[in-house]
Amino acid sequence: MSQRIDPACLMRIKSLELRAKTVVEGTWKGLHRSPYHGFSVEFTEYREYTPGDDPRHIDWKLAARSNEHYIKRFEEETNLCCHMLLDLSTSMQFQSLGYTKAEYAKTLVATFAYFLAQQRDATGLIIFDEQVETVIPARFTRGQLRRILIELERPPQGSHTNLISPLKHAVETIKKRGLVVLISDLMSPLDELNTHLGYLRAQGHEVALFQILDPAEIHLNFHETAIFEDLETGERIALNPKAARENYQQQLQEHQAAIQSFCRKQGVHYHQLTTDMPLELGLSEFLTDRAA
Amino acid sequence: MSFLTPLYLVGIIAVGLPILLHLVRHQPKNVFYFSSLRFLEHKPPQTNRKNKIEHWLLLSLRALAVILLVTAFARPYFKNQDLKLASTQPQSQTILLIDTSASMQRDSLWEKALTQANEIIKDTTPNQIAVYTFDTQLTAIKPLRQSQETRSASSLERNQNLLEELTPGWKATDLGTALTELAALLQEQAVSDPTGSILRHTNIELITDFQAGSRTESLSEFSWPEELSVRLHQLEADNLDNAGLQLLSLDDESQPTIRIVNAADSQQEKFTIAYEVQPAKLEKSQQVYVPRGQSRVVRMAAWQQPVPVPRIVLSGDQQNFDNHIYLQPPVRPNLTIVHYGTPAENSIESANYFARRAFPSTSQRDIDFQTIGPDSPPLLLSATEIHLMLISRRLAPDETEQVQRYLEQGGVVLLTLHDDQSTDSLNQLATHNTDTTALIETVSPEINGYALLTDINFEHSLFQIFQAPEFSDFTRLKFWNYRGLKLPEQIPHRVLARFDHQAPAILEITRNKGKLLVMSFGWTPQESQFALSTKFVPMLNAILTLNDRAQNTPAQFTIGQKVKLPVDQQTRLISTPDRSQIKLASDQQDFTETILPGLYQVESGTQLPPTRQFAVNLDISESQTEPLAREKLEALGVHFTDSGLKTEENTSPAELQRQAQLRELEQKQQLWRWLIIVALALLGLETVLARWLTGKSSATGKA
């Protein structure tokens, strides 16, 4: 197994692409697969060119020899159409390790995008907070990865989370069956999340849910009595964390249990990632889970 | 406890600050931005509206630290009895330090010094002045202690009378010693003073010509007290021209070599030197050119006539005090050495062959070496005329008696054990035949080829000349044979060197006034390499000088130098140059009253012609009469005050003086330092305690 990359070190790399590249290549090495050979680019057969085919796929060398136009047929060509739904609401701006959950999530999205681009898969991105902010339809083109990375590097607008609108958008717009990945801290109410995930599953999509949490959100390891301010609502309460910890952790566990419960029912891949976990762990877990 | 700056105590109000902070601490100031408060139950912290203090220990530590800091700023000190004394009787004293060296004899310098001293005495309260003079040493005319004890009795007139009795002498100037001794006296006096103000309030009035020849070396080894200052009254002579004479050597033919030193501020550079046979009758004069600030060495023509011995006179400068040199040719002593050995002329197997050659007659001494063989006629010399006895054979009974008598009279005897029979003579000399149980025994020595000397006592005068590393190597000196000696404890002895098997090689046995040196080996080449080594001659001559009477007696001295006198005369008189006679005690060996330049004669009570004559001349440093650089003394730490200024305590009102004393007392006690140290320690303890109480501070920060 390769060495894990410490997220704190990874986040110090400014370029999102470089981060993604670091993780992906690290993961591939970890999986003992070369990123530079084969995979989904092995062709199986030739077929005669018919009008409407992309002329880029004509084998010109063969045409020169035989004066016939043939098209290469690739194995698993564009086998996957992946849509990533990224939550960039203000709650994702919380941090206790020197980088926010949003940055961690963006790196995760970039990693996926890079990975899928390497596999010649179509990738799309929907960024949302209260409403859908950015939509990049899934495509497999050369510039797709660049477009995604540019969108990811935009500064966040920030408001509270509304999970329903991006899910609705996804249900309405994604026609081709594929993979839908939702990346969020899921700290908002889960009222209709179950229903909308159900819609997606009903459309035949494969759905993965990545919950990004900060370790401080799980353990509530604050020691000083202080005023706590909600990043999304601006609500303030004076709190003694020691006294509140037990109750908080209990409620959080219930919340997590609820999520896991409906994910299991709906057949959604659920992954909880804390921001101190190496990113490639999330990627490899996901791949392993999907292969199973 | 009192406070120097009590107003600072107002700051004690600040003690309320930690209490306030302690109470306010419960109102949370920190704001943590959290992702969602959905799961947080609203549990407000216990903001203590009842003003309840949780950590009494922390609070008291903080409050105590504040109190200590405030108290430190107020500069506390403890008043004691001594301070009361000091405040009622302010210590203030003036020390008049007058130069009485030879250079003060120049034209009107002494009158000027007395005028200056009288002025100072008039300006000073009579009971607060002490008077000291100095030349090579410090002399108390009216010492410090006396000036305090007899406060009421002192008067202006009496102090002035003290001055009238003073005159400058002929000694050299040792300004450094005078100042350091005076400062040391004052420091001793200041030990009992709690405020340490004695030094500050003491004024040394130094009246001197401050000539360049003054010695100041003592100051370099002395830490001059910072509080003590010296007011310099530098006297200037009317005529600056001065040159001096110094006798460098006087050879066997009475030909003197002299040095002429010309002062740096002198105007003259041409001088005449001559013999002065009678007053104003000069002979063999010669001109000498000496540039100012330099010196010239001149070898004068020999003076053939033995009596009277003239003096050398310098002329050409204005100052006469250092223009004479008295001459006394050294006396060539006759030394008698008796060797009880086997006479064998020109035989290198004989101990006598080497011993005779170790003591040659020189220009410094005349040696009469007599060898007494077993068959020789008995010795006719009296024991007092013999300076060294060597014994290298077995002694006959009458010879033993003679040696014993010689030892009892303070003689020096060297006994070498060339053969085993010599041990009998050793026993007779060492034990005096009184106790037959305490006899020196010989044992057969352990020799593996040869023996070497170890454990050499280089402190003993026998080996002192070999002390330097280049001479202290005795490893080339090999001994083929020696006598192993076993000395009983009854015989008081000192082992000066041992063989490498720990057997004694050279012993010193003290017999009454005399010294018996025993070498347990022979020095002939058959027995050892000693006689052929470079150590032999110096060592035997060192043994000769163990006898006080055999030592060369110098005849030229400088003023104040100690003269060593022979002890063999019963009553001695010393005639001084001013025709007075000083009677010396019979056991007095040193004559220290060489206070006048001139010729001194030592006369015994019985013999009429003087047994010895010596000359005493002035120290050449007194001829360097140009002014000394004041900076030189300042570089050595001496603080000078301007002679025109009055000291602070004379002009300050009493209250100012008292405040200064309080300040000094507070500075001496320096309680504030301890208070700050304790306050810092308390704050450190508080930090540790607070950390422990609050636990590890949150690593999870603010969003």
Side-chain angles (χ1 to χ4, degrees):
Chain A
M1 202 63 192
S2 69
Q3 277 195 332
R4 301 283 185 207
I5 304 160
D6 179 28
C9 296
L10 187 71
M11 294 302 167
R12 281 200 283 272
I13 302 173
K14 279 195 174 176
S15 161
L16 206 54
E17 186 178 358
L18 202 58
R19 279 189 211 167
K21 198 177 171 185
T22 311
V23 177
V24 169
E25 287 178 8
T27 311
W28 255 312
K29 280 173 190 164
L31 294 170
H32 299 283
R33 297 286 292 270
S34 165
Y36 303 112
H37 302 287
F39 215 66
S40 66
V41 291
E42 289 175 11
F43 75 98
T44 50
E45 58 178 348
Y46 288 105
R47 69 172 170 80
E48 207 170 343
Y49 173 78
T50 50
D53 284 337
D54 193 336
R56 285 181 294 179
H57 297 148
I58 295 171
D59 188 338
W60 293 106
K61 285 180 182 173
L62 188 64
R65 284 201 300 271
S66 61
N67 206 20
E68 301 271 346
H69 292 91
Y70 288 94
I71 295 232
K72 279 182 177 176
R73 288 199 63 180
F74 294 94
E75 194 178 44
E76 296 190 20
E77 192 179 9
T78 63
N79 64 340
L80 187 65
C81 179
C82 175
H83 283 86
M84 288 179 286
L85 279 59
L86 174 62
D87 176 8
L88 283 186
S89 62
T90 43
S91 66
M92 290 290 281
Q93 295 299 323
F94 179 73
Q95 65 167 338
S96 71
L97 300 173
Y99 50 89
T100 59
K101 290 192 288 181
E103 278 178 71
Y104 186 90
K106 280 178 182 179
T107 315
L108 182 65
V109 170
T111 308
F112 270 123
Y114 187 86
F115 174 68
L116 293 168
Q118 290 283 320
Q119 291 197 103
R120 307 171 77 87
D121 291 331
T123 321
L125 174 67
I126 295 170
I127 297 173
F128 65 94
D129 42 42
E130 193 183 6
Q131 57 192 11
V132 175
E133 294 287 340
T134 308
V135 178
I136 301 174
R139 283 204 187 94
F140 166 63
T141 54
R142 281 173 183 267
Q144 185 71 353
L145 175 63
R146 175 72 39 211
R147 271 196 293 278
I148 290 171
L149 290 174
I150 288 168
E151 286 302 327
L152 285 174
E153 280 173 358
R154 276 191 188 164
Q157 299 299 315
S159 63
H160 66 270
T161 320
N162 183 359
L163 285 169
I164 306 308
S165 59
L167 287 175
K168 269 187 180 174
H169 181 88
V171 168
E172 287 164 10
T173 55
I174 302 170
K175 299 298 175 197
K176 192 179 175 184
R177 278 189 297 179
L179 175 66
V180 178
V181 180
L182 175 62
I183 301 163
S184 169
D185 57 0
L186 298 180
M187 293 298 264
S188 54
L190 306 170
D191 303 336
E192 296 180 54
L193 181 65
N194 186 12
T195 317
H196 284 87
L197 287 175
Y199 289 157
L200 279 174
R201 289 292 293 144
Q203 282 186 338
H205 295 298
E206 188 181 357
V207 181
L209 186 54
F210 282 88
Q211 189 183 17
I212 313 292
L213 290 175
D214 194 284
E217 288 175 323
I218 297 170
H219 306 297
L220 197 75
N221 50 356
F222 301 95
H223 300 281
E224 296 170 48
T225 299
I227 292 169
F228 281 70
E229 182 173 323
D230 194 312
L231 277 165
E232 294 199 348
T233 60
E235 185 192 351
R236 286 179 150 212
I237 52 168
L239 192 75
N240 180 1
K242 274 186 193 171
R245 186 172 299 148
E246 196 181 340
N247 184 267
Y248 170 84
Q249 283 176 340
Q250 191 184 344
Q251 290 207 37
L252 184 66
Q253 276 170 14
E254 284 173 11
H255 177 75
Q256 299 290 87
I259 296 170
Q260 284 170 20
S261 167
F262 70 67
C263 282
R264 212 167 28 249
K265 281 179 189 168
Q266 299 285 0
V268 172
H269 306 294
Y270 170 78
H271 301 281
Q272 182 188 301
L273 290 178
T274 50
T275 52
D276 57 347
M277 282 167 67
L279 267 167
E280 61 266 40
L281 197 69
L283 187 60
S284 60
E285 267 184 15
F286 169 66
L287 291 175
T288 318
D289 191 21
R290 213 177 145 228
Chain B
M1 183 186 281
S2 306
F3 297 94
L4 201 65
T5 50
L7 269 181
Y8 274 105
L9 289 175
V10 177
I12 212 95
I13 299 167
V15 82
L17 204 64
I19 299 170
L20 201 65
L21 289 174
H22 204 86
L23 294 174
V24 169
R25 196 181 63 81
H26 293 293
Q27 305 297 331
K29 284 277 185 289
N30 290 344
V31 178
F32 288 153
Y33 296 93
F34 199 60
S35 48
S36 175
L37 301 182
R38 283 184 60 219
F39 311 119
L40 282 170
E41 192 185 7
H42 187 60
K43 261 195 176 176
Q46 293 175 348
T47 49
N48 220 324
R49 293 296 174 197
K50 291 177 285 185
N51 291 346
K52 188 184 164 193
I53 291 165
E54 277 185 15
H55 303 297
W56 276 105
L57 188 57
L58 273 183
L59 178 67
S60 43
L61 283 174
R62 287 167 189 168
L64 198 57
V66 170
I67 290 169
L68 287 174
L69 283 174
V70 169
T71 318
F73 272 97
R75 309 285 288 270
Y77 64 91
F78 290 105
K79 269 186 183 174
N80 53 20
Q81 207 63 29
D82 297 324
L83 177 76
K84 282 174 192 167
L85 261 178
S87 56
T88 51
Q89 298 174 344
Q91 296 279 339
S92 156
Q93 56 185 350
T94 301
I95 298 167
L96 200 54
L97 185 59
I98 307 169
D99 185 356
T100 53
S101 66
S103 61
M104 290 292 284
Q105 299 202 20
R106 287 184 288 159
D107 42 54
S108 59
L109 274 186
W110 185 245
E111 285 75 31
K112 287 180 184 172
L114 287 180
T115 313
Q116 189 72 53
N118 274 315
E119 274 179 26
I120 293 167
I121 286 177
K122 273 181 202 165
D123 290 347
T124 317
T125 317
N127 55 13
Q128 288 179 351
I129 195 159
V131 182
Y132 282 81
T133 60
F134 73 99
D135 35 39
T136 49
Q137 60 196 23
L138 186 71
T139 312
I141 305 301
K142 184 186 171 195
L144 278 173
R145 197 168 294 163
Q146 191 186 342
S147 70
Q148 285 177 0
E149 284 170 0
T150 60
R151 278 171 194 283
S152 54
S154 297
S155 68
L156 177 66
E157 196 180 340
R158 191 173 166 182
N159 289 336
Q160 285 173 334
N161 288 341
L162 283 175
L163 290 182
E164 284 172 14
E165 291 166 14
L166 298 177
T167 48
W170 291 96
K171 289 184 180 174
T173 318
D174 194 342
L175 181 58
T177 304
L179 287 174
T180 50
E181 282 183 12
L182 199 55
L185 277 175
L186 287 166
Q187 279 179 323
E188 264 179 47
Q189 195 186 39
V191 167
S192 58
D193 173 34
T195 61
S197 63
I198 281 186
L199 293 177
R200 198 183 297 279
H201 299 143
T202 299
N203 200 23
I204 297 176
E205 305 278 355
L206 175 63
I207 301 174
T208 174
D209 57 349
F210 209 53
Q211 44 123 197
S214 308
R215 292 194 192 101
T216 54
E217 299 82 43
S218 313
L219 281 167
S220 61
E221 295 162 6
F222 183 78
S223 175
W224 185 263
E226 279 188 21
E227 302 87 357
L228 188 60
S229 58
V230 177
R231 193 183 297 164
L232 176 66
H233 304 275
Q234 189 171 352
L235 307 172
E236 280 189 18
D238 301 330
N239 294 307
L240 299 175
D241 293 337
N242 185 39
L245 285 175
Q246 184 187 19
L247 180 68
L248 295 178
S249 69
L250 188 62
D251 65 13
D252 306 336
E253 294 163 353
S254 298
Q255 190 173 11
T257 305
I258 59 167
R259 178 193 281 147
I260 303 157
V261 177
N262 194 9
D265 56 353
S266 192
Q267 300 296 317
Q268 297 290 327
E269 294 187 334
K270 282 181 185 170
F271 304 98
T272 308
I273 48 169
Y275 286 110
E276 190 184 50
V277 185
Q278 287 169 2
K281 189 183 175 187
L282 302 178
E283 283 187 23
K284 296 185 180 177
S285 64
Q286 64 182 99
Q287 295 280 325
V288 184
Y289 176 79
V290 186
R292 64 191 69 157
Q294 293 189 22
S295 65
R296 289 286 179 270
V297 175
V298 176
R299 194 170 165 85
M300 290 192 72
W303 182 258
Q304 299 301 333
Q305 297 93 331
V307 176
V309 182
R311 61 178 187 172
I312 299 170
V313 178
L314 173 96
S315 53
D317 66 340
Q318 301 290 326
Q319 310 294 346
N320 202 33
F321 77 103
D322 56 350
N323 288 0
H324 302 92
I325 290 182
Y326 295 89
L327 300 177
Q328 175 57 48
V331 180
R332 192 182 183 211
N334 272 320
L335 302 178
T336 307
I337 299 169
V338 172
H339 182 205
Y340 292 97
T342 315
E345 288 299 322
N346 301 324
S347 164
I348 60 163
E349 290 176 6
S350 139
N352 189 56
Y353 177 87
F354 297 99
R356 181 180 286 279
R357 282 159 181 77
F359 298 103
S361 291
T362 64
S363 61
Q364 307 290 321
R365 66 184 187 187
D366 195 12
I367 301 281
D368 176 19
F369 192 91
Q370 296 189 21
T371 309
I372 315 289
D375 308 324
S376 300
L379 193 64
L380 296 174
L381 284 170
S382 70
T384 51
E385 289 167 1
I386 300 170
H387 294 90
L388 176 67
M389 275 187 181
L390 304 174
I391 303 165
S392 62
R393 65 169 170 82
R394 190 176 181 178
L395 294 174
D398 58 329
E399 288 170 336
T400 311
E401 270 179 39
Q402 194 167 26
V403 175
Q404 279 172 345
R405 199 165 58 248
Y406 174 65
L407 273 173
E408 280 163 13
Q409 287 179 1
V412 178
V413 176
L414 172 64
L415 176 74
T416 54
L417 301 177
H418 281 266
D419 51 38
D420 292 334
Q421 284 78 30
S422 313
T423 320
D424 297 338
S425 302
L426 172 61
N427 268 321
Q428 285 164 356
L429 293 174
T431 59
H432 209 264
N433 290 334
T434 50
D435 187 2
T436 50
T437 57
L439 287 178
I440 299 170
E441 294 171 34
T442 49
V443 289
S444 55
E446 297 174 52
I447 302 172
N448 299 322
Y450 55 84
L452 296 176
L453 285 185
T454 56
D455 294 345
I456 297 167
N457 183 359
F458 284 106
E459 299 300 318
H460 192 269
S461 49
L462 186 61
F463 288 105
Q464 263 179 0
I465 45 172
F466 304 115
Q467 235 175 3
E470 59 266 40
F471 308 123
S472 61
D473 180 15
F474 278 74
T475 54
R476 291 183 183 179
L477 190 53
K478 294 176 182 174
F479 298 86
W480 327 121
N481 193 15
Y482 65 87
R483 255 53 62 191
L485 291 179
K486 272 182 122 180
L487 273 91
E489 287 178 5
Q490 289 90 330
I491 299 174
H493 67 279
R494 189 151 57 130
V495 178
L496 305 181
R498 289 180 184 278
F499 287 113
D500 45 0
H501 295 289
Q502 292 301 307
I506 303 174
L507 299 165
E508 185 189 48
I509 299 168
T510 311
R511 290 293 314 276
N512 298 331
K513 291 178 189 173
K515 284 174 188 161
L516 173 62
L517 288 164
V518 181
M519 289 183 177
S520 64
F521 52 86
W523 60 56
T524 56
Q526 292 77 35
E527 290 173 284
S528 71
Q529 284 182 322
F530 185 42
L532 298 176
S533 77
T534 55
K535 315 286 184 199
F536 181 66
V537 176
M539 204 187 284
L540 285 197
N541 280 279
I543 293 170
L544 175 63
T545 55
L546 288 177
N547 192 337
D548 292 333
R549 287 175 296 178
Q551 285 177 1
N552 275 343
T553 48
Q556 293 289 152
F557 295 91
T558 51
I559 295 277
Q561 208 175 348
K562 193 164 65 179
V563 179
K564 204 168 173 62
L565 296 169
V567 288
D568 53 348
Q569 291 159 9
Q570 290 300 315
T571 314
R572 283 168 302 168
L573 293 170
I574 290 189
S575 300
T576 59
D578 63 353
R579 310 280 177 194
S580 63
Q581 285 193 322
I582 300 169
K583 192 175 177 182
L584 299 180
S586 58
D587 58 342
Q588 188 174 344
Q589 287 192 14
D590 298 326
F591 176 70
T592 52
E593 291 173 60
T594 50
I595 52 172
L596 289 173
L599 293 172
Y600 289 70
Q601 291 179 334
V602 185
E603 296 164 13
S604 67
T606 52
Q607 294 168 320
L608 252 187
T611 53
R612 193 181 161 195
Q613 185 163 293
F614 58 89
V616 174
N617 287 306
L618 210 59
D619 195 318
I620 190 63
S621 62
E622 282 302 284
S623 300
Q624 295 171 320
T625 49
E626 68 271 16
L628 182 70
R630 183 165 150 165
E631 293 74 21
K632 193 180 169 187
L633 286 192
E634 282 174 335
L636 291 168
V638 180
H639 305 294
F640 284 105
T641 51
D642 197 350
S643 59
L645 290 177
K646 293 274 182 189
T647 48
E648 192 189 337
E649 68 273 11
N650 291 338
T651 52
S652 300
E655 183 55 28
L656 274 178
Q657 198 172 336
R658 192 182 144 276
Q659 281 177 6
Q661 281 173 343
L662 290 180
R663 217 164 29 241
E664 279 168 16
L665 183 59
E666 191 274 330
Q667 274 177 5
K668 198 174 177 186
Q669 293 180 352
Q670 292 200 335
L671 292 178
W672 64 272
R673 281 177 190 245
W674 292 106
L675 291 172
I676 286 184
I677 289 168
V678 175
L680 288 176
L682 286 177
L683 288 175
L685 184 65
E686 186 271 338
T687 309
V688 173
L689 196 63
R691 182 164 286 241
W692 180 70
L693 285 172
T694 53
K696 194 183 169 189
S697 70
S698 175
T700 56
K702 302 132 197 174

